[in-house]
Amino acid sequence: MRARITGAGHYVPTRVVTNDDLAKLFPTSDEWIQQRTGIKERRFIEHSGIGASDLAMPAAKSALEQAGLGPKDVDAIIFATLSPDVYFPGSACILQHKLGCRQIAALDVRNQCSGFLYSLQIADAWIRAGVHKNVLIVGAEVHSTGIELNERGRDVAVLFGDGAGAVVVQPTDGERGVRTVEVAADGVGYKELWVEAPASMCDPRIDHKMLDEGRHFPKMNGKQVFRWAVEKMPEIALSVLGKVGKTPADVDLFVPHQANMRINQMVAGKLGIPEDRVVHNIERYGNTTAATIPIGLSESWKDGKIKEGSTVLMAAFGAGFTWGAAVVEF
Ligand code: UT7
C-alpha cells in the first residue's frame, strides 16, 4: 500500500500588492526587492475578517474536485500554517466545519515553511498504516495582517504574501505515488526567524510595551537563514533521491519552497537541475510559507508541467529551523 496525490488546488486573494505599492509605505524599492528576492508582487487579503481557513476553502474544494471526492469523503484534514485563523483552536477544525465534512480527524501542523512536507509525511504514514484513507492536506497563510509595514519591519515585510494550496492523498496499490518524505529540525535556530509574542512564557502574554516594540511581528536574521537553507535543502534533496535509487537527472520537476529566488537558483545549481525543470512563482506571490509547495504543485499540474509519470522533487527550509524533501511519482 502506498499513498498517491490525486488532486491539487490553490487560491490566492484578488488584491495584488506590487513592490511599488510597498515603496509608498516605507523606504524600499522595486529594484532592491527584485534583486535580493525575485519578488515582483504578492497577494494580500481584500479586507479584515478573512482567515487562513477562508483561503483554504477554494483550494481544498478544487483539490477534492480533481480527486473526484466531496467533503463527506474526507477522512482526515491536516492544516499546515503559521498564521492560523485564531490562536486556538486549530484551523483544521475550522476548515472541517466550513467544508461540511463528517466528524473526522483534524490536525494543525505548525512547521512553517516545511509544514507541507511534514504534513505529507504524516498523511503518507497514516495511509500506509491503514489509519486513514482520504487525507486532505492544506497549506494556507494570511501573512498580511501580521507583518510590520514600516521601516522597522521592512526586511521581513517585503517577503511574505497570502495564499493557500491543497492536495488530496489517497491509497493506491500501484507503483507510483509518494516514494519517500524526509523531514528534520534543529531548534538551535529558533530565534533566527520567529514571532516572540504573544507567548505563554510571558505574563501577560502580550502588553502595551511589547506592542510598541513590535515584538508581535516576525523577526529574521536573513543571512543566517539563507546560509542554512542553501546547505540543508540540497543535502536533504539528495538524501530522498538516494533513498529511492534516483539522482537529480531523474527529476522531471523540482518544486522548491519559495522563500527567495536566489536560494532556489543556488539549490537547483548545487543539485544540477536545469532552470526549465524548476518551479518559480515567488515573483507573483512572494513567500506564502506552508502554501508555496502545494500552490506550485497545483499550478504545475494545471499547466501540464506535471503529467502522468512525472517524477517530482520537493524541498523546503524555514523557521525552527525545520527542513524537508520528498520524491513523488505522479
Ligand atoms: O521562508 C522562510 C525562510 N526565509 C528565508 O529563507 C529568507 C532568507 N534570507 C533572505 O532571503 C535574504 O537574507 C533577504 C532577502 C531577507 C535579505 O537579503 P540580504 O542580501 O541578506 O540583505 P541584508 O539583510 O544584508 O540587508 C542589506 C541592506 C541593509 O542595509 P545596510 O545595513 O547594508 O545599510 C538593510 O537595512 O538592505 C537594507 N534593507 C532594505 N533596503 C530596502 C533591508 N530590507 C530592505 C528593504 N528595502 N525592504
Side-chain angles (χ1 to χ4, degrees):
M1 182 72 75
R2 164 166 298 184
R4 210 177 145 218
I5 298 179
T6 54
H10 68 280
Y11 173 77
V12 290
T14 54
R15 188 175 148 209
V16 177
V17 177
T18 64
N19 294 342
D20 287 335
D21 291 332
L22 294 182
K24 287 178 198 141
L25 303 176
F26 50 84
T28 190
S29 66
D30 180 48
E31 192 193 1
W32 190 96
I33 300 170
Q34 282 209 51
Q35 259 179 18
R36 307 269 169 152
T37 70
I39 299 167
K40 293 182 179 161
E41 58 188 42
R42 72 287 292 139
R43 303 295 180 97
F44 282 2
I45 53 166
E46 295 81 3
H47 55 80
S48 179
I50 299 172
S53 69
D54 297 305
L55 302 189
M57 282 285 283
K61 282 183 180 165
S62 158
L64 287 169
E65 195 184 317
Q66 190 184 0
L69 299 180
K72 301 273 185 246
D73 300 314
V74 178
D75 297 315
I77 297 174
I78 309 178
F79 200 122
T81 186
L82 65 70
S83 51
D85 298 56
V86 291
Y87 199 74
F88 75 84
S91 289
C93 294
I94 303 175
L95 182 64
Q96 177 274 340
H97 173 64
K98 286 182 179 168
L99 267 178
C101 299
R102 291 174 287 112
Q103 294 172 346
I104 51 166
L107 170 73
D108 271 37
V109 165
R110 296 196 41 194
N111 285 61
Q112 302 73 243
C113 306
S114 315
F116 177 76
L117 292 174
Y118 270 81
S119 304
L120 187 62
Q121 191 186 60
I122 295 166
D124 183 40
W126 275 350
I127 287 169
R128 282 172 191 264
V131 176
H132 296 299
K133 278 192 176 153
N134 302 330
V135 183
L136 172 66
I137 303 178
V138 177
E141 307 284 0
V142 174
H143 279 301
S144 54
T145 51
I147 46 178
E148 192 173 19
L149 293 164
N150 62 32
E151 188 165 359
R152 184 173 62 183
R154 66 179 179 169
D155 58 330
V156 174
V158 298
L159 303 177
F160 292 101
D162 303 340
V167 300
V168 174
V169 189
Q170 294 184 273
T172 173
D173 3 333
E175 283 296 299
R176 312 199 71 81
V178 179
R179 295 296 308 278
T180 192
V181 190
E182 212 181 300
V183 292
D186 191 337
V188 70
Y190 86 97
K191 287 188 179 177
E192 304 292 6
L193 176 50
W194 73 325
V195 176
E196 196 186 346
S200 61
M201 63 184 198
C202 299
D203 190 8
R205 292 185 175 183
I206 190 157
D207 60 24
H208 290 289
K209 186 166 170 287
M210 290 160 94
L211 282 170
D212 291 342
E213 290 167 358
R215 287 160 68 182
H216 58 303
F217 292 119
K219 300 284 179 301
M220 179 172 71
N221 179 349
K223 286 202 187 315
Q224 190 71 344
V225 178
F226 196 108
R227 236 175 267 134
W228 273 72
V230 295
E231 184 188 323
K232 290 296 171 191
M233 284 170 71
E235 186 182 288
I236 200 160
L238 287 174
S239 172
V240 288
L241 286 168
K243 268 189 187 160
V244 300
K246 290 186 186 289
T247 71
D250 299 313
V251 173
D252 296 308
L253 200 67
F254 178 34
V255 185
H257 170 54
Q258 309 284 310
N260 187 318
M261 182 79 95
R262 288 190 294 144
I263 292 179
N264 290 349
Q265 284 165 344
M266 283 174 79
V267 171
K270 280 189 179 184
L271 292 171
I273 298 177
E275 181 75 11
D276 63 348
R277 287 194 219 149
V278 183
V279 170
H280 294 297
N281 56 31
I282 190 168
E283 60 278 18
R284 287 176 286 133
Y285 304 143
N287 182 348
T288 57
T289 308
T292 61
I293 293 181
I295 291 176
L297 290 174
S298 171
E299 286 193 330
S300 305
W301 216 343
K302 284 174 181 57
D303 292 351
K305 286 187 199 150
I306 293 179
K307 305 179 196 65
E308 189 84 23
S310 296
T311 296
V312 176
L313 171 70
M314 308 164 206
F317 181 89
F321 296 128
T322 58
W323 60 99
V327 180
V328 176
E329 290 173 339
F330 278 80

